[in-house]
Amino acid sequence: MSISTPEEPSGSAPQPASPKGGHKGLQAPEVAAYWAERRRYLEKIRKVPEVRQRFWRAVGIYLLRRVLWSFGFFPVFIAFWLPFVLSSFNPVVMATDLIPLLQSFVQANPQEQATTLSTLAIAWASIGFFFLVFDFVLTPFKSPYEYEADVYMRSWEQLNHDQLPDKV
């Protein structure tokens, strides 16, 4: 079985690939051999303690970065950037607008202060979760297993270059 390429005329049958290049189609056995070797190698390296330890460390660092970025940077940035923009990038105007708000918060009764703080916490969490979801989508986790498999498969392709068809 071969996969036809766009160069073939519409009515002709696919041509088998020659082992030294000049092929018209990509042979499915070579593709299957590549992925079978990759799966075999991934199963093999999943048992190596050093790579497993590197995997869990990478997972921890990835999650920590995403959480700190989403809950640390973005809410703080938005909390300072929006008032700064609304004050036309003038810190004096921003301070003049915020000082009465802070004074009214300090002079308010405890229930109003608690409501204000809970509203700020809800806003912080909602901004953080919003950016966390998009951060997970935009920066997916890069597994050390996949990296090791990519390196191995590049060397495997070079070693088996004679058996594999040339890439067009």
Side-chain angles (χ1 to χ4, degrees), residues 41 45-46 48-62 141-149 151:
Y41 183 72
I45 65 170
R46 287 191 198 281
V48 176
E50 293 86 15
V51 180
R52 191 178 321 128
Q53 183 180 14
R54 209 173 341 140
F55 171 77
W56 287 113
R57 186 179 305 128
V59 167
I61 290 171
Y62 172 77
F141 177 66
K142 295 178 181 112
S143 172
Y145 291 121
E146 294 297 322
Y147 174 78
E148 293 289 333
V151 170

Side-chain angles (χ1 to χ4, degrees), residues 85-163:
V85 168
L86 294 174
S87 66
S88 302
F89 300 100
N90 188 343
V92 175
V93 172
M94 185 172 80
T96 305
D97 291 342
L98 290 179
I99 288 175
L101 291 173
L102 293 173
Q103 286 176 341
S104 66
F105 174 77
V106 170
Q107 294 170 355
N109 63 36
Q111 289 84 9
E112 290 176 6
Q113 288 178 346
T115 302
T116 303
L117 291 177
S118 67
T119 303
L120 287 174
I122 291 169
W124 188 295
S126 64
I127 291 171
F129 280 115
F130 176 78
F131 281 104
L132 185 66
V133 167
F134 284 103
D135 207 14
F136 281 140
V137 170
L138 295 176
T139 55
F141 177 66
K142 295 178 181 112
S143 172
Y145 291 121
E146 294 297 322
Y147 174 78
E148 293 289 333
D150 290 342
V151 170
Y152 173 78
M153 292 313 292
R154 271 184 252 139
S155 66
W156 183 84
E157 282 179 329
Q158 289 177 352
L159 289 174
N160 296 308
H161 186 264
D162 293 338
Q163 289 89 14

